[in-house]
Amino acid sequence: MRQTLHGCMGNLLAAFVMVVGFSTSTAAHPGSGIVVDRRGEIYFVDTGSGVWKIDIYGKVTHLPGPMFHWMTIDYDDCFSTAHLPNGARGDVTRVGTTPTLLVASDFPIAIGSNGSLYYPSHASGPGLQLMELTPSDRTTVMANLSGDGRGDLRHFNGLAAGPDGALYYTEDNAIRRVGARGELSTVIGNITVPTCVSIAGTTRPMLRGLAADDQGTIYVAASGCGSVLKTSASGQVTTLHQLRAPWTPTAVALFGSDVYVLEYLQTAASMEPEDRRAWLPRVRKITPDGHTSIIASIDRQ
């Protein structure tokens, strides 16, 4: 989503945010957090070593921080004194300042256009709730979530802010929308990917990180297929880019007209047993004319 927050009340300046998700299952998976700040500097999670930054000149720098899975960006340090979610089901912590990166261990997080932090939780009742935390430490339930409208949600794989105060989240094969008043709807369900390839340790299509622009177009990583998908406001799904296994996308971010994709090397050997350092991340840039290039790649050898 194009996020234009000024200060902590959610008035808009130009920048873009992508936030990602988790599954209620215990399957191992690489991180899926990538964000872009107002200057166009890119930050992404590396489940094997923490967080990396790509500056506007292309220099890649490692930032101190935990080896968590998910991330969002707090442009104006609004949550610098807030009590962030933590406990037995996972933690959220801060990395850096101006902007502050919020990283989460076990669930996705997103900062909405109103400046609130959103995350899933089981703490306030049966089933899964989408929680809202304001910078002033006020926590409320925004919505009660259910998978296909038939009970508790089993897989919550991605979370992103959208236009008009909406939030979007992914299940394994569906994209759902939560309106500004907490109303739930399906953007598209039972997604199939004609270009799908086999990715170790995943089911198909396993939708994960997503981003929504101001026109309602949604970009999503189909991690179980090695595909980056584009969903129009009318519900038409096309493959924006297809990777070759064992590389697979886990998250996407938008800045201007460009799409940035966090990708991981995901082999069978790295999944059983889980080997986080074998999950090697890289970042791809896709321009409006379809040109793609790798702008950063992490090699631990």
Side-chain angles (χ1 to χ4, degrees):
M1 174 203 172
R2 182 177 180 177
Q3 185 122 4
T4 52
L5 299 175
H6 296 293
C8 300
M9 296 305 294
N11 301 318
L12 294 180
L13 279 177
F16 290 80
V17 173
M18 182 344 275
V19 189
V20 294
F22 81 129
S23 170
T24 56
S25 72
T26 57
H29 50 82
S32 55
I34 183 170
V35 297
V36 187
D37 71 14
R38 291 170 178 149
R39 297 184 61 203
E41 295 182 319
I42 302 159
Y43 305 83
F44 62 96
V45 297
D46 175 358
T47 321
S49 71
V51 176
W52 296 89
K53 172 184 174 180
I54 310 170
D55 71 15
I56 58 175
Y57 305 105
K59 181 181 178 181
V60 180
T61 305
H62 186 261
L63 303 180
M67 294 184 291
F68 283 179
H69 284 78
W70 302 279
M71 179 167 59
T72 189
I73 186 167
D74 179 9
Y75 296 106
D76 298 296
D77 303 331
C78 298
F79 288 89
S80 60
T81 61
H83 293 86
L84 299 174
N86 66 84
R89 293 186 179 270
D91 299 316
V92 177
T93 191
R94 302 170 184 87
V95 174
T97 57
T98 318
T100 298
L101 304 175
L102 302 181
V103 294
S105 61
D106 291 87
F107 47 80
I109 52 177
I111 291 182
S113 59
N114 63 351
S116 291
L117 176 68
Y118 295 91
Y119 60 96
S121 174
H122 289 87
S124 297
L128 191 68
Q129 294 85 41
L130 185 61
M131 308 301 295
E132 177 181 1
L133 172 65
T134 68
S136 60
D137 267 343
R138 181 174 178 266
T139 301
T140 56
V141 176
M142 181 183 184
N144 290 299
L145 307 176
S146 60
D148 294 329
R150 296 194 304 267
D152 193 15
L153 180 63
R154 295 185 59 195
H155 300 282
F156 187 98
N157 300 334
L159 179 63
D164 303 322
L167 295 165
Y168 294 88
Y169 67 90
T170 52
E171 300 174 25
D172 280 357
N173 66 345
I175 300 172
R176 315 287 185 191
R177 180 182 185 273
V178 182
R181 297 182 179 180
E183 64 276 18
L184 302 179
S185 60
T186 297
V187 176
I188 187 166
N190 300 316
I191 292 177
T192 58
V193 182
T195 58
C196 193
V197 298
S198 179
I199 303 296
T202 66
T203 57
R204 298 184 180 184
M206 191 176 280
L207 305 182
R208 293 191 69 192
L210 73 165
D213 69 17
D214 289 340
Q215 286 70 50
T217 301
I218 299 172
Y219 300 84
V220 61
S223 295
C225 287
S227 310
V228 181
L229 305 180
K230 179 180 179 180
T231 302
S232 69
S234 61
Q236 181 181 6
V237 180
T238 56
T239 299
L240 181 66
H241 185 72
Q242 180 62 50
L243 280 69
R244 293 183 179 180
W247 287 97
T248 188
T250 64
V252 292
L254 308 178
F255 186 76
S257 300
D258 298 324
V259 179
Y260 293 92
V261 185
L262 176 60
E263 303 172 355
Y264 272 88
L265 182 68
Q266 186 167 320
T267 64
S270 70
M271 303 300 289
E272 296 293 340
E274 175 185 335
D275 183 359
R276 292 188 173 202
R277 290 189 61 79
W279 295 333
L280 300 179
R282 67 186 186 186
V283 175
R284 181 184 301 273
K285 178 180 179 180
I286 305 176
T287 59
D289 61 4
H291 176 74
T292 79
S293 58
I294 301 299
I295 62 171
S297 184
I298 305 303
D299 188 350
R300 301 191 220 288
Q301 297 181 354

